């Protein structure tokens, strides 16, 4: 799925060329903080760190499908009517919507009370 997105972006924009060195996360860990700082930070050299999220559970578990499987019946606000009433959709309903959506201005979901609930 991630590769498909990258291919779509490359097809849309064409190849992007830059002068940033690619550095694998495992190589940075082997370099140590001081060597990394000397090589990149102190020298003001940008780099792209690759592989940082490899093995990160949330990267694979937080897919829309996985979240819908766990929280599919939860409702989220996705808009308001002209009268100001909330329009809600379940996460499963939103997953189904996104699977076939081609709207110019697609729906999105949010939880206004998220920060108030201490999640």
């Amino acid at each position: 799925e991630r590769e498909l997105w990258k291919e779509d972006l490359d097809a849309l924009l064409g190849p992007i060329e830059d002068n940033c060195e690619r550095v694998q996360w495992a190589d940075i860990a082997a370099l140590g903080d001081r060597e990394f700082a000397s090589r990149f930070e102190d020298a003001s050299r940008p780099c792209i760190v690759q592989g940082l999220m490899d093995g990160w559970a949330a990267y694979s578990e937080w897919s829309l499908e996985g979240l819908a499987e766990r929280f599919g019946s939860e409702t989220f606000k996705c808009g308001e009517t002209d009268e100001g009433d909330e329009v809600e959709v379940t996460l499963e309903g939103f997953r189904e919507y996104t699977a076939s959506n081609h709207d110019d201005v697609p729906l999105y979901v949010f939880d206004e009370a998220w920060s108030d609930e201490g999640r």
Side-chain angles (χ1 to χ4, degrees):
E1 198 170 274
R2 289 179 308 175
E3 283 300 311
L4 178 62
W5 177 84
K6 180 192 175 305
E7 290 169 7
D8 290 345
L9 188 61
D10 286 348
L12 180 66
L13 300 176
I16 298 172
E17 296 183 24
D18 60 51
N19 60 353
C20 289
E21 182 177 344
R22 271 59 174 170
V23 183
Q24 291 296 319
W25 174 243
D27 295 337
I28 292 173
L31 277 178
D33 294 343
R34 288 185 186 194
E35 178 64 25
F36 181 81
S38 171
R39 193 166 155 194
F40 295 102
E41 291 177 31
D42 297 343
S44 296
R45 285 181 53 205
C47 69
I48 296 174
V49 178
Q50 297 179 315
L52 185 60
M53 295 187 304
D54 292 351
W56 186 32
Y59 195 58
S60 60
E61 293 175 15
W62 289 3
S63 68
L64 189 52
E65 290 75 18
L67 291 171
E69 186 176 309
R70 291 179 61 194
F71 306 107
S73 63
E74 295 291 324
T75 57
F76 294 86
K77 180 179 175 182
C78 66
E80 293 181 353
T81 65
D82 291 340
E83 293 77 30
D85 297 323
E86 289 187 1
V87 176
E88 293 184 332
V89 64
T90 63
L91 191 56
E92 175 58 28
F94 183 72
R95 186 198 65 77
E96 291 174 7
Y97 164 78
T98 61
S100 61
N101 171 49
H102 300 291
D103 295 342
D104 289 338
V105 182
L107 295 175
Y108 62 94
V109 297
F110 55 94
D111 183 355
E112 291 179 314
W114 180 78
S115 62
D116 296 336
E117 295 175 11
R119 292 185 194 175

